[in-house]
Amino acid sequence: MAKSAPKNMARLERIVDQLAEAVRVDIEAWGGEPTFRVRGKNFVFTDRPVSRMSVKLPVEEAAAVVATDPGAQPTGYGLGRHGWVSVVVGAADESRWELVEEWVRTSYTLVAPKSLAKIVIAEDEARS
């Protein structure tokens, strides 16, 4: 697991780097735990090794992910009822990273200002 830690963070940062105005903010009060934000709003919570992460999804999609993914659960602190889901990343294979990227991009579009979210939505529609 230790070997995948820097690799996982680098991969997550590459995904986030594609999103306008997204920044990493390490929360000192949480022992330096990383978050990713757009204009001050969190769209990803994770740990340093990116063994787990929490993202915001549409409530129905979050429920479906929790129901079908054994590594997923509603995020604590009452966030789960608002579509936040915590998922295991760990030693992810390529198909898991595709899901992680989809979840991160979706979370961003739900949190970012509409003008920024529209850019990502248009890119995602062009991909499919």
Side-chain angles (χ1 to χ4, degrees):
M1 182 66 171
K3 281 187 173 182
S4 67
K7 187 171 134 186
N8 278 4
M9 182 56 77
R11 184 131 187 204
L12 179 57
E13 287 177 333
R14 281 194 305 273
I15 292 167
V16 171
D17 284 347
Q18 298 172 33
L19 305 170
E21 299 185 36
V23 296
R24 176 178 166 173
V25 177
D26 295 348
I27 308 298
E28 195 174 314
W30 298 347
E33 292 295 297
T35 64
F36 292 90
R37 299 177 179 185
V38 58
R39 294 198 185 166
K41 293 184 176 182
N42 291 314
F43 65 95
V44 174
F45 295 94
T46 190
D47 53 11
R48 287 190 180 280
V50 191
S51 59
R52 298 186 58 78
M53 64 181 226
S54 296
V55 291
K56 183 175 177 72
L57 301 175
V59 174
E60 304 80 23
E61 184 178 344
V65 169
V66 168
T68 60
D69 187 322
Q73 63 186 31
T75 302
Y77 306 104
L79 293 173
R81 70 174 174 257
H82 300 290
W84 283 89
V85 61
S86 297
V87 295
V88 172
V89 179
D93 61 14
E94 198 58 37
S95 64
R96 185 63 165 184
W97 274 107
E98 288 172 11
L99 285 172
V100 166
E101 181 171 9
E102 179 184 320
W103 293 330
V104 167
R105 292 176 70 85
T106 298
S107 188
Y108 174 91
T109 64
L110 293 172
V111 173
K114 287 181 183 174
S115 59
L116 298 178
K118 284 180 183 178
I119 296 166
V120 173
I121 292 167
E123 289 172 357
D124 290 347
E125 288 173 354
R127 287 182 182 181
S128 39

